[in-house]
Amino acid sequence: MSGPTVSAAHAAAAGGWVISPVRIPAADGGKPPAAVGPSTDLSACQALREAHELELWGNLDRCPTLAEALEYWRGTGYEERRLYLARAAGEPAGLCSVTLPLRENTATAGIDILVDPAHRRRGLGRALLDYAEAVARGRGRTSLDGFHEVPLERVGPGTDMLPARSGAGALPLSDPGTAFAAAAGYGLEQVERSSRLDVPVARELLDRLGDEAATSAGDYAVVRWHDACPEEYVAGYAALKTRMSTDVPMAGLDWEREEWDPARVRDEEAAWGRSGVQTVVAAAKHRQTGRLVAYTVLNWRPGVPGSITQQDTLVAGGHRGHRLGMLVKVANLRQAQERWPSVRSVLTWNASENQHMLSINIALGFKPAGYEGEWQKRLG
Ligand SMILES: CC(C)(COP(=O)(O)OP(=O)(O)OC[C@H]1O[C@@H](n2cnc3c(N)ncnc32)[C@H](O)[C@@H]1OP(=O)(O)O)[C@@H](O)C(=O)NCCC(=O)NCCS
């Protein structure tokens, strides 16, 4: 593991904080998530994250469970992930993390910073950022990205906004995350809209939207699965996931195409399984060629029984304009409602400039919930 540079360590020491790597119990040690004790650094990070989510949203719908966090921070063969905890007088005060893609995007690193409200505006956020940037720099990364969310209610009429470089969307300048990232030299490349759908969706609405989509999509058949992609589709599914990594609007973000193959699909499925995450997928198959050309994914965690998160949705170029986006979304909502009857809402995130996806979601009944800023800084 790379540590910080000497100057970053000094910056932390100057404020009286101690920043140290969080040790993640090894998967092959046979330690189940329940064995992560309440006094471990990982549990302290989880408590900071949950307190922040509750303060921001009043619920934990967006918060990874401890089981997900444990699995996530172990990293994969595709991404190394490092988590660090800051303590002040021995008490958890903040955290930072660095994610390092290993196959592609090897010049980039993902950075995240969180400071407990009781410790803010004393320089700890900046010390954690210096620390994380030093780790990324030490690994040869030259383009750093981060994101943070702002609930809709925090944007009132007349709020001063920072526009995204993409030309669509903006974040309130008064928000601490916005002020902090801008002061640290990060550019707001893109703003995503987060939206929420009340579930169950009325059967009549799903029937009407599904029937309308089916009339334009006669050349396509819907294929569905739970958790594991059927072997006959996995190569086609991997090819679609490769396209997903570049076909969505990315503004000026330095993200390269990810190469997905069946092994990578299986790796992701296995990681979700170990995290307790369940998935439903609906895909569209082109009848003439037998190829998968569109798909959408919903995730559910037993620890958050009332909420589903929307993952990828993609219609491959060349097959757009046949309402396949709506076709697969309706099919997947139906199977999600059947499989997870406790669910009361679906959360989704879309680039503000992604009008096609947004209009499908609006027709389904999604309502705006907030904003997510995508920040980027290139190191000199
Ligand atoms: C954003 C966050 C990490 C800042 O932590 P912090 O310890 O308060 O930050 P610092 O004290 O190091 O502030 C560094 C600079 O950021 C800016 N800043 C930070 N918070 C600010 C606020 N509430 N209003 C205006 N400027 C602010 C200032 O320029 C500040 O320098 P200054 O104090 O000399 O004026 C903290 O508010 C937080 O955890 N927020 C929730 C998570 C989040 O948004 N993370 C950022 C992801 S991009």
Side-chain angles (χ1 to χ4, degrees), residues 17 49 52 55-56 93-95 111-117 119-129 145-150 173-184 186 373 375:
W17 307 291
R49 175 71 57 204
H52 176 59
E55 195 259 325
L56 209 56
L95 60 83
I111 305 271
D112 190 36
I113 313 290
L114 176 62
V115 173
D116 181 88
H119 295 271
R120 288 186 188 168
R121 296 312 299 269
R122 295 179 200 165
L124 176 55
R126 185 57 71 83
L128 284 161
L129 184 62
D145 54 80
F147 70 90
H148 84 292
E149 290 202 82
V150 182
L173 277 162
S174 57
D175 172 72
T178 308
F180 173 76
Y186 283 70
W375 299 87

Side-chain angles (χ1 to χ4, degrees), residues 184-266:
Y186 283 70
L188 181 60
E189 294 295 338
Q190 190 177 45
V191 170
E192 296 211 327
R193 185 199 287 182
S194 69
S195 311
R196 185 179 180 280
L197 175 69
D198 286 334
V199 169
V201 181
R203 179 189 293 263
E204 303 74 45
L205 179 65
L206 285 184
D207 286 350
R208 178 169 63 75
L209 293 172
D211 290 350
E212 281 170 13
T215 24
S216 309
D219 292 341
Y220 304 86
V222 174
V223 177
R224 312 174 200 209
W225 64 86
H226 291 178
D227 302 327
C229 179
E231 198 55 39
E232 63 183 297
Y233 297 124
V234 70
Y237 185 45
L240 284 181
K241 286 171 80 74
T242 297
R243 297 185 77 141
M244 180 74 204
S245 68
T246 50
D247 280 14
V248 292
M250 281 191 293
L253 293 161
D254 294 331
W255 289 336
E256 299 166 355
R257 169 188 165 102
E258 292 174 0
E259 294 301 335
W260 284 76
D261 59 11
R264 195 165 183 170
V265 170
R266 296 302 184 210

